[in-house]
Amino acid sequence: MNDYAGQHEVISENMTSQITTELARYVQELKQERKSHFHDGRKAQQHIETCWKQLESSKRRFERDCKEADRAQQYFEKMDADINVTKADVEKARQQAQLRQQMAEDSKAEYSSTLQKFNHEQHEHYHTHIPDIFQKIQEMEERRIVRIGESMKTFAEVDRQVVPIIGKCLDEITRAAESISQKDDSQLVIEAFKSGFEPPGDVDFEDFTQPIKRAVSESSLSNSKDGKPESRFSSKSKGKLWPFIKKNKGAGPEDFSNLPPEQRRKKLQQKVDELNKDIQKEMDQRDALTKMKDVYIKNPQMGDAASVDHKLAELGQNLEKLRSEAQKFEGWLAEVEGRLPVRSEQTRRQSGACEPQNTLTVNHCAQDRESSPDGSYTEEPSQENEMKAPATDFDDEFDDEEPLPTIGTCKALYTFEGQNEGTISVTEGETLYVIEEDKGDGWTRIRRNEDEEGYVPTSYVEVFLEKNAKGAMTYI
């Protein structure tokens, strides 16, 4: 699946470098070229409009001069016919008429020249300039179309290059799917969640026809003080049917004695690994502070050496506490690992002989079971009567979501009483695990043990995040 996704990433990268980037640059070039062609078109249109205005102006001036020449000629003829007008006035009118006639001739010539020029410009405009501009735009669009076709062809080539690899990936996915073994998967689950319990021994025959007083049998079903038969599958022995019993979801004991042997061993090993990691971290901090102190002693101007003494002392106390915790859990782990091998029949009978006959022996027997190497599953005395009905519901623990991995540790700076839902109470100086950072709302999610977790105000704790938060812990 990763290789399959990787080939699509290759397609995306090649399309970006060979198609998208090139087309983006080409589009900018087309925009500039298109803008230039449209500018030439507007310029040609403005030129022809200017020529038309010049023609109209020359035409109106020619028309005006012709009318003024006619009026001047009529005035001259009128003056020439009037006998009361002096010869000087007639001569003046004649000269004026000739002048206007000359102006009309000049306007006529200018109008004729302007008309010829306009007709030439108009012919050039509609038969040369505008067609050339449209031809350039058409060629530009045709180049664009060709470029799109080339890009589509490039895309096909890019895709075709990875088709064989994608085909192999799909073949491998099919082969992997066909090689799935449900039996092997089930065995992996069994190895991960196996309890380590052993099946009980055979029930001994008790002969009630004998008048003699019978000794207590290690497999008797009626060993209680009041003579009432106690079911072999009652809550006191419910650990042996653990997968099919509803269990208390509350906080368990510190040594995980509420878990089956194999699961308890895994939890204890995980706890020991966590403590060793914390010890190493504290030692690294102590070594760093020691080196800093030595530097301060040699170079007092860089800092006060006494300022790190308090932190060194605190680290020393933390180390002692962690080592003590690690030693305690290592002892429990050694105890569990010592009881995991298959026990002998004699040991099993000795364990069975410790059936409760009174309140005192119940507590004594429970304590013996917790420390004995027989691998039996024990319950706290206060939990003995929690389940008196036959266990019929399947335990839903396997359906529970795995807890979030820790991403660091934190130390409580102040005591906080978590009274609201979702919060957790902490005491000053307590060290806990961080499973979710502050998301900006002022709350940090922490865990005390497997079943106790919740939110505390971020300002109430000092957080120490691990460098590699992901995969910091693995829960089994």
Side-chain angles (χ1 to χ4, degrees):
M1 292 297 291
N2 288 333
D3 293 341
Y4 182 71
Q7 296 308 310
H8 285 83
E9 291 179 358
V10 170
I11 293 175
S12 176
E13 292 173 358
N14 290 337
M15 286 184 62
T16 300
S17 61
Q18 301 181 26
I19 299 177
T20 306
T21 304
E22 294 296 327
L23 284 183
R25 181 168 58 250
Y26 187 67
V27 165
Q28 294 299 324
E29 295 176 358
L30 288 181
K31 286 182 178 180
Q32 293 297 327
E33 184 177 354
R34 183 184 180 89
K35 183 178 180 180
S36 175
H37 294 328
F38 274 77
H39 176 73
D40 293 341
R42 287 191 296 270
K43 186 176 179 181
Q45 188 68 28
Q46 291 174 357
H47 178 70
I48 195 65
E49 289 177 356
T50 300
C51 292
W52 172 256
K53 291 178 180 179
Q54 292 176 355
L55 177 62
E56 285 293 315
S57 177
S58 177
K59 178 182 177 181
R60 287 193 298 271
R61 184 164 54 252
F62 172 58
E63 181 182 7
R64 184 182 65 251
D65 290 345
C66 287
K67 291 180 177 179
E68 290 179 355
D70 290 341
R71 285 197 296 271
Q73 184 63 32
Q74 292 177 2
Y75 181 73
F76 166 69
E77 291 177 355
K78 180 179 178 182
M79 293 292 289
D80 188 43
D82 190 353
I83 58 176
N84 297 322
V85 178
T86 61
K87 185 182 287 188
D89 292 337
V90 173
E91 184 62 22
K92 184 178 179 180
R94 185 181 63 80
Q95 292 178 356
Q96 186 67 22
Q98 290 178 351
L99 178 61
R100 292 295 180 182
Q101 188 66 33
Q102 185 61 39
M103 291 176 62
E105 291 294 333
D106 293 341
S107 297
K108 180 180 179 181
E110 181 183 358
Y111 171 60
S112 177
S113 175
T114 304
L115 180 61
Q116 290 179 0
K117 180 180 178 182
F118 173 77
N119 289 334
H120 175 74
E121 292 292 341
Q122 181 175 254
H123 184 273
E124 290 293 323
H125 177 79
Y126 286 105
H127 292 84
T128 303
H129 299 314
I130 295 299
D132 288 346
I133 293 174
F134 279 118
Q135 182 64 31
K136 292 178 181 179
I137 294 176
Q138 179 179 338
E139 292 174 354
M140 179 191 69
E141 291 296 324
E142 290 174 353
R143 291 199 309 272
R144 179 186 63 82
I145 294 171
V146 171
R147 190 62 176 270
I148 292 176
E150 293 175 351
S151 300
M152 295 174 67
K153 183 179 178 181
T154 303
F155 165 71
E157 292 297 328
V158 168
D159 211 327
R160 184 178 290 110
Q161 290 175 0
V162 300
V163 165
I165 303 178
I166 289 180
K168 292 181 180 179
C169 292
L170 294 175
D171 293 340
E172 290 298 326
I173 292 173
T174 303
R175 189 176 298 109
E178 293 173 349
S179 65
I180 292 174
S181 173
Q182 65 274 19
K183 297 296 183 182
D184 292 342
D185 290 350
S186 297
Q187 191 62 36
L188 292 175
V189 175
I190 291 172
E191 289 297 324
F193 293 100
K194 64 181 180 182
S195 65
F197 289 135
E198 296 179 4
D202 295 337
V203 179
D204 294 335
F205 176 79
E206 298 184 29
D207 191 356
F208 290 93
T209 61
Q210 299 295 330
I212 61 175
K213 184 176 180 180
R214 298 179 304 276
V216 177
S217 172
E218 66 272 13
S219 60
S220 174
L221 298 180
S222 57
N223 292 330
S224 59
K225 179 180 178 180
D226 55 3
K228 294 182 180 180
E230 179 183 329
S231 173
R232 184 177 179 85
F233 305 108
S234 65
S235 62
K236 295 182 181 180
S237 61
K238 68 180 181 178
K240 298 184 179 181
L241 294 177
W242 169 75
F244 303 97
I245 299 297
K246 290 288 186 179
K247 296 194 306 179
N248 184 13
K249 292 295 185 179
E254 184 182 14
D255 61 352
F256 305 109
S257 58
N258 61 320
L259 297 177
E262 180 67 20
Q263 297 301 317
R264 183 187 180 196
R265 183 190 66 78
K266 293 180 179 179
K267 287 290 185 182
L268 288 173
Q269 184 64 55
Q270 174 182 312
K271 186 69 175 180
V272 169
D273 293 341
E274 292 177 11
L275 290 172
N276 289 334
K277 187 187 299 182
D278 294 339
I279 290 173
Q280 185 61 43
K281 185 188 300 183
E282 294 290 329
M283 292 177 63
D284 293 341
Q285 293 183 9
R286 185 188 62 181
D287 295 342
L289 285 176
T290 303
K291 293 180 180 178
M292 183 184 297
K293 182 178 179 180
D294 294 340
V295 172
Y296 287 168
I297 292 175
K298 295 178 181 179
N299 300 284
Q301 68 274 12
M302 297 184 65
D304 184 10
S307 61
V308 298
D309 289 340
H310 176 71
K311 187 64 176 178
L312 282 173
E314 182 179 348
L315 288 174
Q317 294 176 0
N318 291 342
L319 275 173
E320 290 299 325
K321 182 178 179 181
L322 289 172
R323 284 169 178 165
S324 176
E325 286 287 313
Q327 185 177 4
K328 178 174 61 175
F329 279 94
E330 286 173 353
W332 287 332
L333 179 61
E335 175 188 341
V336 173
E337 290 177 343
R339 76 169 59 168
L340 278 180
V342 178
R343 58 182 176 173
S344 64
E345 182 66 23
Q346 180 181 0
T347 306
R348 185 160 55 241
R349 291 183 180 276
Q350 291 175 356
S351 174
C354 192
E355 290 295 328
Q357 297 186 11
N358 52 49
T359 306
L360 178 61
T361 57
V362 167
N363 295 334
H364 178 70
C365 187
Q367 294 173 359
D368 290 344
R369 287 188 180 183
E370 288 184 354
S371 60
S372 63
D374 59 2
S376 60
Y377 175 68
T378 60
E379 291 287 337
E380 294 294 333
S382 60
Q383 298 176 349
E384 289 180 357
N385 297 322
E386 287 181 2
M387 302 271 312
K388 294 188 178 181
T392 57
D393 296 332
F394 189 76
D395 185 11
D396 59 354
E397 177 170 330
F398 297 106
D399 295 331
D400 292 343
E401 294 183 356
E402 292 186 358
L404 294 173
T406 60
I407 60 174
T409 60
C410 69
K411 181 178 180 182
L413 302 177
Y414 316 99
T415 299
F416 172 71
E417 297 294 335
Q419 299 178 353
N420 296 329
E421 183 180 359
T423 60
I424 184 173
S425 299
V426 296
T427 57
E428 183 178 356
E430 184 178 6
T431 302
L432 307 103
Y433 296 101
V434 179
I435 58 177
E436 186 175 316
E437 291 186 76
D438 186 352
K439 301 299 184 181
D441 55 0
W443 293 88
T444 299
R445 190 176 180 183
I446 63 174
R447 177 186 293 128
R448 178 175 287 110
N449 52 45
E450 182 182 6
D451 297 301
E452 286 187 79
E453 64 181 46
Y455 290 90
V456 296
T458 304
S459 58
Y460 277 60
V461 294
E462 183 179 7
V463 179
F464 304 94
L465 295 180
E466 297 179 358
K467 293 182 180 179
N468 186 14
K470 295 184 178 179
M473 289 183 61
T474 302
Y475 287 85
I476 300 176

